[in-house]
Amino acid sequence: MKIVIVGTNHAGIAATNTILDNYKGHEVVMIDRNSNLSYLGCGTALWIGRQIDSYENLFYTKKEDFEAKGAKIHMETSVQHIDFEKKVVHCQKKDGSTFDEQYDKLILATGSLPISPNLPGSNLEGISYLKLFQEGQAVDAEISRPEVKTVAVIGAGYIGVELAEAAKLRGKNVLLFDIAPSSIASYYDDIFTAEMDKRLRENGIECHFGEAVTEYKGSTRAEKIVTTKGEYAVDLVVNAIGFRPNTELGKDHLKTFKNGAYLVDAHQQTSDPNVYAIGDCATIYSNALKDTTYIALATNAVRSGVVAGHNVCGTALAAIGVQGSNGICVFGYKLVSTGLSVAAAQKAGFDVLYTDYEDLQRPGFMRTNATVKIRIVYDKATRRILGAQMGSTEDISMGIHMFSLAVQEGITIDKLKLLDIFFLPHFNQPYNYITMAALTSK
């Protein structure tokens, strides 16, 4: 069987490795328009902020690794068109030459594209985006220029907030804009976003929330940002508004979700039985919503690649759904969440309750300590846990994995009330904040 995989970042790599490591005798062809593969974009801000020593280790594999396993790989090659009826992928190399690849099974791992509103002045120089490795390098080069003193970041989601921190660590004046009333509003409720906003401001980030950018001004390069509330002089603009699924190749043939992502089943199969879609270009099943949705995360991409790789080769493996677990650490403040926030649950139509608790991580007599804040969100009627959020300067990230499993398995808030949680002063309190949050639930 000949399997063609279009896209070689996290999802495509996971699918390819699954096929090559577990199933022998298949011909595997990988195609990507980029000059590199396996770039961990989540480390871009760490490099720009010089919180890591180099960017080289942000690549976890290379072309030669797949060739050694027997795959044929075409880098710097664009897919111009796919003939789904004849099962042919029409390709063009960087030098302009063209070739075709026939397939028996096709895996689309084309990822996502940055959202780029067509605002007046958006064609000016000095306006950057941040997704590909080359874009990260370009932003780093701009921030390294002494004449770039003020950096405007548009979008206060995860990438925007991390980039704002990175630019500040490089000694820049930083303006952070978002149409939402706070940072990271898509992931957390206000008791957590308020703490993050406070941290940003305390560390010198000029926050402009509830402001929509309407125009860029300048002669050849962006010199001012115009918003619904004013004008601001800038030397560099970085857009981090969000992403949309990259589905141009198959949108006229394959069924799509309301946001344009390829609609897939639990086996990552599209409406065409010979075509699978994985990663940011495809839908995913949410265990919190109990419905199909779209969550663009590298972890989800990897899992979907593994599932597709097995199914393409004949092993029926169904995905078990996701919770959208995520985390962020900015200026030492760590937030983790899984499932739905109160705002997201209400928007989805749930009648929800939530329980909050705040306490020290360890007993008060311990020298090393920090406050931990937790919120557990649950359905009022069924009492099923829908999500959880935690924040601290401590690394409390492992706790969110338990809540991820709770959402996946449909555990109720009451099941947590007498959960066996160990106690040792080095680690936690005898009355653990998870237990206490559950015990004080309505």
Side-chain angles (χ1 to χ4, degrees):
M1 183 167 60
K2 183 174 179 179
I3 305 163
V4 174
I5 301 170
V6 181
T8 63
N9 213 25
H10 308 307
I13 285 171
T16 305
N17 279 328
T18 299
I19 295 167
L20 295 175
D21 294 345
N22 295 281
Y23 304 94
K24 306 304 178 185
H26 298 306
E27 182 182 354
V28 178
V29 179
M30 306 168 71
I31 304 168
D32 200 289
R33 61 188 173 88
N34 211 334
S35 59
N36 56 70
L37 63 157
S38 81
Y39 179 62
L40 288 167
C42 56
T44 300
L46 293 174
W47 165 241
I48 291 174
R50 299 300 186 264
Q51 294 169 275
I52 57 176
D53 295 329
S54 71
Y55 61 81
E56 283 83 358
N57 289 333
L58 295 177
F59 298 94
Y60 56 88
T61 189
K62 55 188 181 297
K63 176 184 176 183
E64 291 75 17
D65 294 339
F66 296 99
E67 291 174 331
K69 291 182 179 183
K72 182 166 69 172
I73 181 166
H74 301 289
M75 301 301 296
E76 296 185 282
T77 300
S78 298
V79 174
Q80 301 296 298
H81 173 68
I82 299 173
D83 188 328
F84 292 98
E85 185 176 341
K86 295 180 179 179
K87 299 201 287 188
V88 178
V89 179
H90 300 285
C91 308
Q92 184 177 50
K93 294 182 178 180
K94 185 180 180 181
D95 62 10
S97 61
T98 60
F99 65 95
D100 295 340
E101 289 286 0
Q102 192 90 27
Y103 67 84
D104 295 304
K105 298 293 182 183
L106 175 67
I107 300 177
L108 296 173
T110 47
S112 56
L113 298 169
I115 295 172
S116 53
N118 187 24
L119 300 175
S122 57
N123 60 338
L124 292 169
E125 295 177 8
I127 301 175
S128 302
Y129 295 88
L130 201 63
K131 182 170 175 65
L132 300 177
F133 167 68
Q134 293 89 338
E135 292 167 340
Q137 291 290 86
V139 170
D140 181 62
E142 285 280 355
I143 287 179
S144 298
R145 294 170 56 210
E147 57 268 36
V148 172
K149 301 184 185 303
T150 299
V151 177
V153 179
I154 315 301
Y158 272 180
I159 294 175
V161 168
E162 289 171 345
L163 184 62
E165 177 196 36
K168 193 64 186 178
L169 291 174
R170 294 289 294 276
K172 306 299 179 179
N173 300 317
V174 181
L175 284 65
L176 179 61
F177 296 87
D178 201 293
I179 194 169
S182 70
S183 65
I184 55 176
S186 298
Y187 308 94
Y188 296 89
D189 289 318
D190 53 5
I191 63 168
F192 296 97
T193 61
E195 185 62 35
M196 180 59 77
D197 294 350
K198 178 184 174 186
R199 294 271 171 170
L200 292 169
R201 291 187 172 103
E202 286 177 346
N203 285 276
I205 306 295
E206 189 178 310
C207 297
H208 295 271
F209 301 138
E211 285 190 56
V213 175
T214 58
E215 184 181 356
Y216 306 109
K217 286 184 177 181
S219 50
T220 58
R221 184 181 174 92
E223 299 169 359
K224 285 186 178 181
I225 282 181
V226 183
T227 75
T228 48
K229 294 185 179 180
E231 288 189 5
Y232 307 89
V234 298
D235 300 308
L236 174 66
V237 178
V238 184
N239 276 297
I241 301 170
F243 300 98
R244 58 181 177 86
N246 180 15
T247 54
E248 190 63 31
L249 289 173
K251 63 182 177 63
D252 296 327
H253 174 70
L254 304 172
K255 287 184 180 179
T256 56
F257 192 53
K258 57 189 176 183
N259 72 333
Y262 296 127
L263 194 62
V264 297
D265 63 14
H267 302 278
Q268 301 300 139
Q269 193 174 47
T270 69
S271 53
D272 183 330
N274 295 310
V275 181
Y276 293 73
I278 56 179
D280 289 3
C281 68
T283 57
I284 205 158
Y285 185 83
S286 163
N287 289 314
L289 291 171
K290 292 193 177 298
D291 201 359
T292 298
T293 190
Y294 180 75
I295 305 174
L297 288 171
T299 48
N300 293 343
V302 170
R303 281 188 287 269
S304 68
V306 171
V307 170
H310 283 295
N311 281 286
V312 163
C313 294
T315 300
L317 175 67
I320 60 174
V322 303
Q323 289 66 254
S325 303
N326 60 88
I328 188 170
C329 176
V330 172
F331 294 120
Y333 187 57
K334 304 171 180 70
L335 286 173
V336 290
S337 76
T338 192
L340 305 176
S341 64
V342 170
Q346 290 173 338
K347 185 178 179 180
F350 288 98
D351 184 8
V352 295
L353 295 172
Y354 61 89
T355 176
D356 294 340
Y357 200 79
E358 186 173 333
D359 203 356
L360 292 173
Q361 173 69 22
R362 303 175 186 84
F365 56 76
M366 295 298 290
R367 292 172 181 166
T368 303
N369 223 331
T371 298
V372 180
K373 187 180 294 184
I374 183 172
R375 168 170 287 184
I376 309 172
V377 183
Y378 56 100
D379 181 74
K380 183 177 180 180
T382 65
R383 302 185 65 78
R384 177 172 70 93
I385 295 173
L386 299 176
Q389 303 156 68
M390 297 194 293
S392 180
T393 54
E394 282 277 322
D395 181 2
I396 37 80
S397 59
M398 290 303 291
I400 210 66
H401 300 315
M402 183 198 73
F403 283 106
S404 178
L405 183 62
V407 175
Q408 176 182 298
E409 297 302 309
I411 300 298
T412 66
I413 184 70
D414 304 303
K415 284 280 188 179
L416 292 186
K417 292 182 178 180
L418 296 177
L419 177 68
D420 180 9
I421 298 178
F422 85 94
F423 159 64
L424 192 67
H426 305 75
F427 298 99
N428 58 3
Q429 295 253 40
Y431 288 84
N432 187 279
Y433 48 81
I434 294 174
T435 302
M436 295 306 297
L439 282 170
T440 56
S441 61
K442 295 180 178 123

